[in-house]
Every structure is written in C-alpha cells, then in structure tokens.
Amino acid sequence: MKPIHHGSLALSAALAAALVAGCSSSTQPSDAAPASAPKAAEVTSPEPRLALTYDGGILVVDATELDVVADLPLDGFNRLGPAGDDRHVFVSTAGGFRALDTGSWSDTHGDHSHHYAGAPALTDLTYSADKPGHVVVHAGTTALFDDGTGNIALLDPDGLDPVGPLPETDTYTTPEAHHGVAVPLDDGSLLVTEGDSESRSSVVLLDHSRNEVARTDECPGVHGEAVAADSVVFGCEDGMVIFRDGAFTKVTAPDPYGRLGNQAGSDESPIVLGDYKTDPDAELERPERVALVDTRTAQLRLVDLGTSYTFRSLGRGPHGEALVLGTDGALHVIDPETGDVVDRIDVLDPWTEPDEWQSPRPALTVEGHTAYVTDPATDELHAVDLESGEIRTATLPRTPNEISTS
C-alpha cells in the first residue's frame, strides 16, 4: 500500500493570499457517447474529467472546457465515488461497484510519462455487492463497503485496467451487516464501523492481520468519515470521534442531539468541516450552522451561515479553506482556523432542498483551485475559480444529480 502524503498545516498565510482575490475484463463503449467523443490520443498532461449522474445514466465532462465527452446510459439510482487512480470512478449501482473509465490517464515508462485522453466507457469491471455503499480512498488503497453483507473489499486502484482482470482484493467482513464505512491506513491496518440494521455506535481499529487493537463504542449513529492532516474522523449523533496517534477521542456536541453525519476534510488542514443537525425528530431539517472540529484539540466550533445547505454542499479548497454551498445560491468560504466567513461567491439563484434525499439538488465538488457546482433547476454546470471568483458555465443535456471527480 502506498503511503499517504500530508500537506503543510500553515493555513493562515495561504488563506489570506488565496482569498483576498475574492467481472469480465472487457470494456464496452456506450453507443450513446457523442460523435465528438475523443479517441485515445496523447496530450501534454492528463485531462481532468467529471462524472455526473442523471436519471437514466451518467455524463462525463471535460473539467477544463466543460464539454460533454460521453453520455452513458445506466438505469437506476446510481451513486459515484473516485476510484483513486485519477482515471476511474466507481459507480454504486445494481449488482455492485462498477468501474467507469473516464478516458483520461497517464503511463509512466522509466523517466517518461505519457498522458492520454480517450472515449469514456462503463467497463465490465464490477465488484459484486448486495447494497454498494461508501467508497473510501486513503493511503493508496480503495475500500468498498457492502451495506448488505458487511463485506469490505480493499484494492490497489492503480491496478484497475479496462482490458485486464479485476485487481486482487483483501477482504474483511464485519460481524453484522450495516450501513458502514472502512478507512485503510498506511501501515496496513483498517478502521471500520460496527453495528447492525437497527443501530451502530462503534469504530474499531484492526491490525494488518485483522485483529482488534482499539475501539470506541461512543459514536451513536456513526456515519461518514473524513481525513484531516494526520487524523481520521467519524460523525456521530452527539458529536464526532477522532482517531489520531493510535487512539480514539470523543468530541461532544454542545447540544444533546448534535449530528455531524457528513464531513469534509483536507490534507492541508487539521480541522474538519461537518454539517450540524439538532432535531432528532425532523423528517427534513434545514440547518444553518456548520461545525468545525479541530483534530489537534478535539474542540468543536459552530459557524452560523444565515442560510441552509444540504449534504452535497460541503467541500474543501486547495489551501484547506472550508466551502459550503448555501440555499441562498452562494458559495461561502470559511477560514477553518478562525471560523470567519472570508468570502462569498454568488453562483446560483436561491433554491430549496427537495423533500427526498435522492432528488437532484445543487452539488459541490472541488478539483485543485476550481469548485464545480451543479444546478439541476437550469441543467447547468458552473466552474468557480476559487482564487479569482471567476465563474464559467456550461449547459448540460441532462438534469444533473451527483457529481464526482475522477
């Protein structure tokens, strides 16, 4: 397993400078790809691409030009997660985790690196799962969690090859199936949730032989994970659990019910961004506060945005800045060290979160210095330069739902 590399923790100066500027092995190309979809050709550098789900398929978009390079039909409600090799995206779909080849890749031979752009395709590379759930990339390893069985498949994403067999996997199965998550660590150990269909409150550290080394049972409703510099965190219904230096630390929310169910971390910051909900009985709570949790001190700070947001609204910028896409249509930029909202970039018209969580709503993902924001109300994709605030917009042929980088 490849080691994880952590960036600098010196945020304030960087933020100030940045923010003042306001299972077979064959590949089946889809017949629905536009005629203009590129054939494999050498380019000067990898061409970053985005994958976006819609009702009935997946669009692949050139992240630089915002051109649609493929329209790939796929029935059902599909979810996306980067595979970890800068080329593939795992699609959580009926039958398992299916690899989508975005068509952008690099080959390195000795001292020479060759970059290619080609036609995207849904491959036949599929890891079977009853209920494919969380996809987590960490320490050079990708973990696929099957909620239906508790089975976890661990693979080296660099082994994904559209014309080759599936990469071999290490596997582990939790004692009972549940909606869970696993995080591989660079020494071969594994962090994994435990629970059942009724409840879940545990996170366990397993060594490379999958023997239990440490655990916490103090995370009711455990959901989601994020990496912040040298820590891994898990959200709870009463705060958060931090794993750092081989031990678990509990962060207690200031409210009796304070759920941090979705988190966004950055290698550039020791502080995690999380959503924050306080009503356990709400069918749909529209919170206006977000949480910032310092993994060094286990301190939680709440930031009032004055607008609501959703679970697809959280992101991190290139310098570790916390990003929240509000229902007021603005991208709110927060300095995680101070909790100050240091910038606001108007991107969309005001919008309302739909009642059903599967329904399309604006979504945020970040690649480098660019934040990508979808607008299902107008079928548009916006690329926001986080340094200058400049926005580029493209109209999509479908109504977007989820979005992922490769």
Side-chain angles (χ1 to χ4, degrees), residues 30 49 74 122 138 142 157 184 247 283 306 321 362:
S30 169
R49 287 178 172 174
L74 184 66
L122 276 164
H138 188 248
T142 303
E283 291 187 10
E321 57 268 44

Side-chain angles (χ1 to χ4, degrees), residues 309-385:
Y309 58 93
T310 80
F311 69 96
R312 292 193 180 130
S313 293
L314 307 181
R316 301 303 290 267
H319 309 291
E321 57 268 44
L323 306 174
V324 184
L325 179 65
T327 57
D328 59 354
L331 189 62
H332 300 259
V333 185
I334 306 169
D335 183 333
E337 293 284 354
T338 65
D340 295 334
V341 179
V342 295
D343 200 2
R344 170 195 163 108
I345 305 172
D346 292 317
V347 183
L348 311 173
D349 289 334
W351 52 281
T352 301
E353 178 181 3
D355 292 336
E356 298 294 331
W357 73 266
Q358 298 96 333
S359 298
R361 83 279 310 281
L364 167 70
T365 193
V366 181
E367 177 71 23
H369 293 263
T370 304
Y372 296 93
V373 176
T374 62
D375 188 352
T378 60
D379 294 345
E380 289 180 327
L381 173 64
H382 305 281
V384 183
D385 187 316

Side-chain angles (χ1 to χ4, degrees), residues 227-304:
V227 176
D230 57 357
S231 303
V232 181
V233 304
F234 299 85
C236 316
E237 291 178 348
D238 60 355
M240 183 174 281
V241 161
I242 300 169
F243 177 79
R244 178 181 174 137
D245 296 331
F248 293 102
T249 301
K250 180 59 183 278
V251 179
T252 302
D255 296 282
Y257 180 89
R259 184 177 188 268
L260 283 76
N262 300 278
Q263 314 84 28
S266 168
D267 284 350
E268 301 298 323
S269 173
I271 299 172
V272 171
L273 169 69
D275 58 359
Y276 190 74
K277 295 184 176 181
T278 58
D279 186 351
D281 300 317
E283 291 187 10
L284 177 61
E285 183 176 352
R286 294 185 169 96
E288 295 191 355
R289 293 181 295 173
V290 292
L292 296 172
V293 177
D294 192 325
T295 60
R296 301 163 298 187
T297 63
Q299 297 298 306
L300 184 153
R301 180 204 306 266
L302 294 176
V303 178
D304 192 339

Side-chain angles (χ1 to χ4, degrees), residues 81-122:
D85 65 346
D86 297 324
R87 174 174 180 174
H88 292 85
V89 172
F90 274 119
V91 183
S92 297
T93 189
F97 300 92
R98 186 174 178 182
L100 163 64
D101 181 3
T102 66
S104 181
W105 70 96
S106 299
D107 286 333
T108 301
H109 302 285
D111 295 330
H112 303 284
S113 183
H114 302 274
H115 309 292
Y116 297 91
L122 276 164

